[in-house]
């Protein structure tokens, strides 16, 4: 007897207790078993019933002598050697020519695509056939072991348990042999194979679809309409069965795919097969999401993606699993499986006997992957989406739904902050654009995060950056009060400011959110309690849930400044500038804005602004009363004046409540001076004992200049009018003489007279003195050496601010003037202490400057003032410390 006994010592111990006749019998049966098993496995006489009978008989005889384990081990070792030599090596040899396989290139070569497809099918069929043949040999051994067990136990043995044991052990051997020699490129080949077949099925489904919208080919439906789409089992049964029929009609392709999957399972590659077609499905789904989403943010794509998942991948999986026999009845215990991630009821295909549980699991995987892919796309383009808001509201709504499924809000925060720092918070972006983007960000993210938790994190870099810009407060006030919401290129009209928009938005929120403590009954309160959710871990613990129930956009904008007083002061300066430049008394828009500001900042904060508007109202009434006296008390000298009081409108202000007014001396023409004197006299008569003090440099003058060949109309400042009226009697002036006549310095005159030179009214020439230029009135166009005519009916805009001068002192100028009082205090402190940090200077001033003037400035205002002293070289700043300049 010849055999390998290295692993069968337990069986050979039996030989010691046997007789010589028994040993001879065992030796004869063993040699016969080895010969018959070798013949069977080689397949030379695989169908010979006599050989099969001999194999079974020899195996039974050996088992009777207690050598069943030895028989089993010998057969499995022989099977493994033959399978490794004739099966595995030949199987992998089919794929050796494709060791440098590049899936991205095969799609361009249909010949290679067809070739690899045939190779996969042929190799799998061949190795499956060999495996099936060896399993027949194992079935014979199972029959022999069954007969031995029945004789031994004197009862009928279970054939299935013996057969299952042998087959499971054989399956493990097959998988081990193949996996130990697995080429690295084989999984890529499988992935490409399934990807190509799925693309083919997708094309077939699209061609047979009567509704391209459902497949995601045409996504033109509005968001509101899409949210109303039916997504119930009963409503979709007929459509899903129709889609399933598309695959049934093309069942040849599904059969080919199913056969490949079945053969891969047969050789123990179940996980590899599922990974291959799963990765192909996900790859195709990713392409579909990218194709549908694109750069169009004005329409929702989430429902179209879900419809495509239902129409292609799920129907393919349904047909595949049905072909493979992996299904459970819809009436089974798992037919009602529902994912906590699903926003709609799970699909249940009644009466079709399909794998409900398997499909639901696949649906959850595919939808989650779709949500995550679409979410990543929208997060990557969130900056552009917010720029287009509110037109991009459907994309924001899609992103909100995706984040509800994935919970990856932190990814949005990190990515968007990075985009802001790189694209918005740069020196090249204007403060106005940054603020407008900040407001759009608040509005858009409020949809995604109504609690405002993540909005606080996203907005902090913007607020921090804006605090370092000098014009932030001015731009905020302009954005709140003008008609374009702070966006000069955006839509908007006068009277439609961002402040009004925020007020309407706040009223809408308050109407939507009912006060739980007052207007909610017990039943609703219980429902609200059941729906309560804790604050996210990222939430600021200093701000309770009630605070985050409503995002206060205006509060977040004011939070940039840090103090509403600074915003009110800036608004007061801008309001004064606007009122002083008005040519009439129309202040309806300003009153409406003031009332809105009073709602948010309180009446006490806006009291001075209210007095300023009341001054305009009183000025209109006083002006009307003064002109009314003219008709009843006409004086002879009044009729001789060149200018009538009817042409004069005065704005009378209460200087104590207005910001400091820029005062500039100017000599007005005698008729105008007489007119102002007469107006002041009449005012004193009406408002005894009050008197008027004229700010002659402020206001506007409407002029019509009559020339020999043209007439021109202008709306200019008093200084411009005074300059040009000097040429009424004298056609040519030198700069020094004209400056003396007007009463302004020569450099101021040279700046202001450029306006008339640019309009072709005056020409400049060199005088006798190189520093004293001459200006001459242009009576005709021929005097300038230019041909053509000018439309004399054109109305010029108000001039006077072209050189950047203002009627009212800016907030910065006022602050500088107020802080000058504390300069001596600061110099004294630095003399005593040598050097001090900003915080220490600030705290010391607050401690000791408690009498008039009281120190009430912020840390930022003090820092700005100290920076000015450093620029003037009065102080030095090193390593965070201030020193006196030596």
């Amino acid at each position: 007897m010849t055999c390998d006994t290295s692993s069968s010592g337990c069986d050979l111990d039996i030989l010691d207790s046997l007789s010589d006749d028994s040993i001879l019998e065992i030796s004869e049966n063993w040699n016969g078993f080895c010969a018959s098993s070798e013949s069977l496995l080689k397949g030379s006489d695989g169908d010979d019933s006599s050989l099969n009978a001999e194999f079974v008989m020899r195996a039974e005889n050996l088992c009777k002598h207690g050598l069943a384990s030895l028989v089993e081990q010998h057969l499995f070792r022989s099977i493994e050697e033959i399978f490794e030599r004739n099966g595995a090596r030949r199987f992998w040899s089919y794929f050796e020519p494709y060791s440098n396989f590049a899936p991205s290139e095969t799609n361009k070569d249909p010949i290679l695509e067809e070739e690899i497809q045939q190779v996969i099918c042929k190799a799998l069929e061949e190795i499956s056939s060999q495996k099936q043949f060896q399993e027949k040999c194992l079935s014979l051994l199972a029959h022999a072991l069954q007969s031995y067990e029945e004789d031994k136990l004197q009862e009928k043995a279970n054939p299935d348990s013996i057969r299952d044991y042998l087959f499971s052990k054989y399956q493990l051997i097959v998988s081990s042999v193949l996996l130990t020699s697995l080429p690295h490129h084989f999984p890529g080949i499988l992935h490409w194979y399934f990807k190509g077949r799925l693309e083919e099925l997708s094309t077939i489904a699209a061609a047979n679809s009567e509704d391209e919208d459902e497949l995601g080919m045409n996504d033109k439906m509005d968001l509101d309409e899409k949210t109303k789409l039916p997504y119930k089992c009963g409503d979709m049964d007929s459509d899903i069965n129709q889609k399933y029929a598309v695959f049934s009609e093309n069942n040849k392709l599904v059969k080919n795919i199913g056969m490949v999957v079945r053969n891969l399972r047969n050789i123990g590659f179940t996980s590899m097969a599922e990974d291959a077609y799963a990765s192909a499905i996900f790859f195709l789904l990713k392409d579909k999401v990218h194709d549908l989403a694109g750069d169009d943010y004005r329409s929702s794509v989430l429902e179209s993606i879900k419809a495509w998942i239902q129409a292609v991948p799920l129907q393919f999986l349904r047909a595949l699993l049905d072909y493979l026999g992996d299904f459970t009845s819809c009436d089974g215990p798992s037919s009602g499986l529902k994912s906590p991630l699903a926003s709609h009821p799970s699909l249940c295909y009644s009466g079709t006997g399909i794998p409900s549980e398997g499909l639901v699991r696949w649906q959850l995987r595919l939808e989650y992957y779709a949500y995550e892919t679409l979410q990543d796309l929208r997060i990557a383009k969130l900056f552009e989406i917010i720029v287009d808001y509110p037109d991009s509201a459907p994309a924001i709504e899609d992103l909100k739904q995706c984040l509800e499924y994935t919970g990856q809000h932190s990814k949005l925060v990190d990515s968007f902050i990075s985009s802001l720092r790189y694209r918005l918070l740069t020196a090249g972006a204007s403060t106005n654009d940054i603020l407008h983007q900040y407001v759009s960000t608040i509005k858009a993210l409020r949809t995604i995060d109504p609690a405002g938790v993540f909005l606080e994190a996203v907005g902090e870099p913007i607020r921090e950056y804006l605090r370092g810009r000098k014009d932030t407060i001015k731009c905020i006030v302009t954005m709140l009060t003008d008609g374009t919401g702070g966006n000069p290129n955006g839509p908007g009209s006068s009277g439609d400011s961002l402040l009004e928009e925020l007020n309407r938005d706040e009223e809408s929120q308050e109407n939507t959110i009912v006060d739980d403590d007052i207007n909610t009954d017990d039943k609703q309160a219980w429902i609200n309690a059941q729906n309560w959710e804790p604050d996210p871990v990222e939430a600021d613990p200093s701000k309770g849930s009630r605070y985050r129930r409503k995002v206060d956009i205006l509060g977040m904008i004011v939070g940039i400044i840090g103090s509403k007083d600074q915003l009110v002061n800036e608004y007061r300066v801008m309001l004064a500038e606007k009122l002083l430049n008005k040519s009439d008394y129309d202040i309806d828009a300003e009153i409406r804005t003031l009332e809105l500001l009073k709602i948010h900042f309180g009446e006490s904060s806006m009291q001075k602004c209210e007095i300023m508007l009341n001054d305009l109202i009183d000025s209109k009434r006083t002006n009307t009363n003064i002109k009314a006296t003219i008709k009843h008390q006409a004086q002879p000298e009044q009729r001789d004046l060149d200018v009538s009081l009817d042409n004069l409108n005065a704005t009378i202000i209460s200087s104590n409540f207005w910001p400091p007014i820029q005062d500039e001396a100017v000599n007005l023409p005698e008729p105008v001076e007489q007119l102002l004197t007469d107006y002041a006299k009449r005012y004193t008569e009406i408002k005894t004992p009050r008197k008027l003090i004229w700010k002659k440099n402020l206001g506007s003058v409407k002029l019509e200049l009559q020339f020999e060949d043209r007439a021109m109309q202008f709306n200019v400042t008093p200084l411009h009018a005074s300059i040009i009226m000097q040429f009424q009697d004298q056609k040519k002036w030198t700069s020094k003489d004209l400056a003396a006549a007007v009463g302004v310095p020569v450099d101021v005159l040279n700046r202001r007279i450029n306006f008339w030179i640019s309009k072709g009214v005056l020409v400049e020439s060199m005088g006798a003195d190189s520093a004293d230029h001459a200006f001459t009135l242009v009576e005709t166009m021929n005097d300038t050496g230019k041909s053509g005519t000018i439309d004399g009916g054109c109305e010029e805009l108000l001039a006077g601010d072209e050189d950047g001068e203002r009627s009212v002192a800016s907030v910065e100028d006022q602050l500088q003037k107020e802080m000058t009082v504390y300069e001596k205090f600061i110099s004294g402190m630095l003399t005593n202490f040598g050097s001090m940090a900003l915080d220490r200077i600030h705290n010391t001033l607050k401690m000791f400057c408690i009498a008039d003037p009281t120190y009430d400035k912020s840390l930022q205002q003090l820092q700005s003032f100290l920076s000015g002293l450093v620029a003037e070289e009065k102080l030095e700043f090193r390593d965070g410390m201030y020193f006196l300049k030596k």
Side-chain angles (χ1 to χ4, degrees):
M1 182 174 72
T2 59
C3 69
D4 184 4
T5 62
S6 59
S7 59
S8 55
C10 182
D11 295 271
L12 295 181
D13 290 341
I14 302 175
L15 300 178
D16 295 336
S17 59
L18 297 178
S19 63
D20 293 339
D21 293 338
S22 297
I23 293 176
L24 183 63
E25 181 184 355
I26 291 174
S27 177
E28 180 182 354
N29 283 305
W30 176 257
N31 291 331
F33 173 76
C34 291
S36 60
S37 62
E38 182 177 359
S39 299
L40 279 175
L41 292 175
K42 286 183 179 180
S44 57
D45 297 313
D47 294 331
D48 191 351
S49 58
S50 61
L51 182 60
N52 295 344
E54 182 182 355
F55 174 84
V56 173
M57 179 194 68
R58 300 293 185 182
E60 287 179 353
N61 291 336
L62 290 172
C63 290
K64 290 177 181 179
H65 291 286
L67 298 176
S69 177
L70 182 64
V71 170
E72 178 185 327
Q73 291 177 16
H74 173 75
L75 182 61
F76 274 119
R77 183 173 289 107
S78 300
I79 287 176
E80 181 177 354
E81 291 175 355
I82 294 176
F83 183 81
E84 182 176 2
R85 182 175 61 251
N86 299 334
R89 290 179 184 176
R90 181 171 174 80
F91 178 73
W92 294 129
S93 67
Y94 280 105
F95 304 100
E96 287 180 2
Y98 311 103
S99 57
N100 297 322
F101 176 72
S104 60
E105 298 176 0
T106 55
N107 292 329
K108 302 177 183 179
D109 190 350
I111 298 178
L112 181 60
E113 179 181 354
E114 182 67 23
E115 178 183 332
I116 295 179
Q117 180 181 346
Q118 292 178 359
V119 166
I120 291 175
C121 295
K122 182 178 179 181
L124 287 172
E125 288 176 3
E126 185 175 303
I127 197 171
S128 296
S129 177
Q130 182 172 1
K131 179 174 178 289
Q132 186 178 7
F133 173 75
Q134 290 184 344
E135 286 175 344
K136 290 181 179 179
C137 298
L138 286 175
S139 297
L140 295 176
L141 179 61
H143 178 69
L145 293 175
Q146 178 188 355
S147 300
Y148 164 70
E149 291 290 338
E150 291 177 351
D151 293 341
K152 179 180 178 182
L153 301 174
Q154 296 299 317
E155 61 182 22
K156 187 174 180 61
N158 185 2
D160 291 337
S161 61
I162 299 174
R163 186 174 181 276
D164 291 344
Y165 164 74
L166 294 176
F167 274 41
S168 62
K169 190 172 182 178
Y170 173 66
Q171 184 67 54
L172 182 61
I173 291 174
V174 170
S175 301
S176 301
V177 170
L178 289 173
L179 289 175
T180 52
S181 55
L182 176 71
H184 70 280
H185 59 278
F186 182 71
I189 293 177
L190 284 183
H191 167 78
W192 169 85
Y193 167 80
F194 287 112
K195 177 176 176 292
R197 305 291 71 73
L198 280 170
E199 288 176 346
E200 188 175 348
L201 284 173
S202 179
T203 303
I204 293 172
N208 287 273
S209 175
E210 297 179 357
D211 187 1
E212 291 186 347
D213 284 347
E214 185 175 351
L215 287 176
M217 302 297 181
N218 188 0
D219 189 25
K220 298 181 180 178
M221 191 176 296
D222 292 337
L223 176 65
D224 292 339
E225 296 175 0
K226 288 185 176 183
T227 56
K228 298 176 183 178
L229 284 174
Y231 203 84
K232 298 180 180 179
C233 175
D235 296 335
M236 296 188 66
D237 276 347
S238 59
D239 186 65
I240 290 197
N241 289 331
Q242 180 182 359
K243 301 299 178 188
Y244 182 71
V246 172
F247 292 91
S248 299
E249 293 168 4
N250 299 274
N251 55 7
K252 181 179 180 181
L253 180 57
V254 177
K255 273 187 178 180
N256 290 337
I257 300 173
M259 191 173 298
V260 170
V261 174
R262 177 174 289 173
N263 289 335
L264 285 170
R265 287 184 175 187
N266 195 31
I267 61 176
F269 284 3
T270 302
S271 297
M272 186 181 299
E274 182 172 341
D275 289 344
Y277 67 72
S279 64
I281 290 173
F282 289 133
F283 187 87
L284 193 62
L285 175 57
K286 183 177 181 179
D287 282 349
K288 175 59 66 173
V289 172
H290 281 257
D291 181 54
L292 288 176
D295 294 329
D296 181 16
Y297 313 126
R298 303 192 177 194
S299 56
S300 175
V301 298
L302 193 55
E303 294 300 329
S304 297
I305 293 172
K306 288 182 178 180
W308 183 84
I309 291 174
Q310 295 291 337
V312 179
L314 282 181
Q315 297 312 315
F316 160 72
L317 290 167
R318 174 185 175 183
L320 176 62
L321 298 179
D322 201 8
Y323 173 81
L324 296 173
D326 298 344
F327 66 89
T328 58
S329 173
C330 192
D331 299 328
S334 61
S335 62
L337 180 67
K338 179 179 178 181
S339 167
L341 298 177
S343 59
H344 302 285
S346 300
L347 296 180
C348 178
Y349 312 109
S350 56
T352 57
I354 53 86
S356 298
E357 181 176 347
L359 276 186
V360 168
R361 293 185 182 278
W362 267 106
Q363 179 185 353
L364 304 181
R365 293 175 63 186
L366 292 173
E367 287 189 355
Y368 186 88
Y369 183 79
Y371 294 139
E372 191 173 35
T373 304
L374 181 60
Q375 160 204 288
D376 292 343
L377 277 178
R378 292 308 189 213
I379 288 178
K381 296 290 185 179
L382 186 57
F383 188 88
E384 290 84 352
I385 293 174
I386 290 180
V387 169
D388 291 343
Y389 193 83
D391 293 336
S392 59
I396 292 291
E397 188 64 30
D398 279 353
L399 179 57
K400 175 186 177 182
Q401 294 185 45
C402 292
L403 289 172
E404 287 176 354
Y405 282 93
T406 64
Q408 298 176 4
H409 293 81
S410 58
K411 182 185 292 187
L412 179 147
V413 173
D414 296 339
S415 175
F416 189 56
I417 288 178
S418 177
S419 297
L420 288 176
R421 295 189 188 278
Y422 179 74
R423 303 182 59 180
L424 183 66
L425 306 182
T426 62
S430 68
T431 305
N432 202 36
D433 290 340
I434 296 175
L435 284 169
H436 184 70
Q437 181 74 355
Y438 181 51
V439 173
S440 297
T441 300
I442 295 173
K443 293 179 180 178
L445 295 189
R446 184 175 56 184
T447 302
I448 299 174
D449 176 31
V453 175
F454 304 102
L455 182 58
E456 293 175 9
V458 169
E460 183 56 34
I462 304 179
R463 294 191 292 270
E464 181 180 354
Y465 182 82
L466 286 173
R467 291 187 188 110
R469 290 208 170 189
K470 294 182 179 180
D471 60 340
T472 298
I473 300 178
K474 184 184 299 183
C475 290
I476 287 176
V477 174
T478 303
M479 181 178 64
L480 287 174
T481 58
D482 74 359
T484 59
N487 182 18
N489 299 322
S493 58
S494 178
D496 188 20
S497 66
L498 176 63
L499 191 63
E500 291 181 305
E501 179 185 344
L502 296 180
N503 190 65
R504 290 194 300 267
D505 183 64
E506 182 175 335
E507 291 177 355
S508 176
Q509 288 191 55
E510 290 178 350
N511 292 334
T512 303
I513 301 176
V514 182
D515 189 347
D516 295 336
D517 297 331
I518 299 176
N519 299 324
T520 306
D521 56 20
D522 293 340
K523 181 178 180 181
Q524 184 62 40
W526 175 249
I527 295 174
N528 293 340
Q530 288 180 317
N531 295 333
W532 176 87
E533 293 182 1
D535 293 333
V537 293
E538 297 86 352
D540 187 350
S542 64
K543 299 173 181 178
S545 299
R546 287 185 176 273
Y547 169 81
R548 284 190 295 271
R549 285 184 61 186
K550 181 179 65 176
V551 175
D552 183 9
I553 299 180
L554 183 59
M556 299 187 75
I557 295 174
V558 176
I560 297 173
I561 306 171
S563 170
K564 70 175 183 179
D565 294 335
Q566 296 182 53
L567 186 143
V568 171
N569 289 337
E570 183 66 37
Y571 171 71
R572 184 165 156 256
V573 170
M574 294 183 64
L575 178 62
E577 187 76 30
K578 187 180 296 185
L579 295 179
L580 290 175
N581 288 326
K582 277 188 173 293
S583 58
D584 54 22
Y585 300 102
D586 183 13
I587 56 172
D588 291 343
E590 287 74 16
I591 292 176
R592 184 165 60 249
T593 300
L594 179 64
E595 292 300 321
L596 293 174
L597 289 173
K598 285 165 64 176
I599 294 174
H600 294 279
F601 301 130
E603 293 191 10
S604 59
S605 299
M606 309 305 300
Q607 184 177 11
K608 291 184 179 181
C609 297
E610 190 171 10
I611 292 175
M612 291 164 59
L613 292 178
N614 287 333
D615 284 345
L616 266 289
I617 297 173
D618 292 340
S619 296
K620 180 179 181 181
R621 182 167 54 249
T622 301
N623 198 63
T624 303
N625 292 338
I626 290 176
K627 290 181 179 181
T629 61
I630 298 176
K631 299 178 181 179
H632 299 89
Q633 302 177 5
Q635 300 180 2
E637 66 272 19
Q638 188 179 19
R639 290 189 294 269
D640 296 336
L641 291 175
D642 294 336
V643 184
S644 170
L645 277 175
D646 289 336
N647 297 326
L648 177 62
N649 293 321
T651 300
I652 305 168
I653 66 174
S654 305
S655 58
N656 291 336
F657 299 95
W658 285 62
I661 305 297
Q662 301 282 17
D663 199 0
E664 184 181 83
V666 59
N667 295 332
L668 299 179
E670 184 62 29
V672 179
E673 289 281 5
Q674 182 61 40
L675 183 66
L676 296 180
T677 302
D678 189 61
Y679 190 99
K681 179 181 177 181
R682 294 180 182 276
Y683 176 80
T684 303
E685 293 173 356
I686 296 175
K687 296 286 188 177
T688 304
R690 299 181 183 178
K691 295 182 180 181
L692 289 180
I693 300 175
W694 293 103
K695 301 289 185 180
K696 298 179 181 179
N697 61 304
L698 301 181
S700 62
V701 180
K702 291 183 179 180
L703 291 177
E704 183 175 351
L705 304 182
Q706 297 286 344
F707 299 93
E708 294 180 3
D709 59 349
R710 67 194 189 281
M712 303 178 71
Q713 294 180 353
F714 297 95
N715 189 9
V716 296
T717 64
L719 179 55
H720 284 88
S722 180
I723 291 173
I724 199 61
M725 289 182 71
Q726 299 298 326
F727 289 85
Q728 189 170 4
D729 299 324
Q730 183 177 331
K731 305 302 181 185
K732 185 173 183 180
W733 289 81
T734 63
S735 57
K736 292 181 179 179
D737 293 340
L738 185 58
V742 178
V744 296
V746 176
D747 59 334
V748 175
L749 174 73
N750 290 333
R751 289 202 314 269
R752 298 302 181 93
I753 205 171
N754 283 331
F755 171 77
W756 296 117
I757 296 174
S758 66
K759 299 302 179 183
V761 176
L762 300 177
V763 292
E764 182 181 11
S765 61
M766 296 298 297
D769 186 357
S770 59
D772 192 13
H773 293 196
F775 303 99
T776 307
L777 185 68
V778 179
E779 285 288 357
T780 63
M781 292 300 296
N782 294 331
D783 293 343
T784 63
K786 300 178 182 178
S787 61
T789 59
I790 296 180
D791 181 9
C794 65
E795 178 74 20
E796 295 292 336
L797 296 177
L798 177 63
D801 290 332
E802 72 280 356
D803 52 3
E805 297 189 13
R806 299 165 56 96
S807 303
V808 182
S810 65
V811 174
E812 293 81 3
D813 295 338
Q814 297 178 45
L815 177 63
Q816 186 71 20
K817 185 177 179 180
E818 294 173 3
M819 290 295 293
T820 305
V821 179
Y822 306 108
E823 184 176 346
K824 292 183 179 180
F825 288 95
I826 296 171
S827 299
M829 286 188 293
L830 294 177
T831 300
N832 294 330
F833 297 105
S835 64
M836 297 180 71
L838 176 64
D839 291 342
R840 188 178 178 189
I841 296 174
H842 180 65
N843 293 331
T844 305
L845 288 173
K846 286 198 300 183
M847 185 182 302
F848 293 103
C849 296
I850 55 177
D852 190 29
T854 304
Y855 179 77
D856 56 356
K857 309 305 177 187
S858 66
L859 194 65
Q860 291 80 8
Q861 290 174 326
L862 176 61
Q863 185 179 20
S864 177
F865 176 69
L866 294 178
S867 299
L869 295 180
V870 172
E872 295 173 5
E873 297 187 351
K874 295 180 180 180
L875 299 180
E876 291 183 8
F877 181 70
R878 299 192 308 270
D879 301 327
M881 306 294 288
Y882 290 93
F883 304 82
L884 282 175
K885 184 75 173 180
K886 297 181 180 179

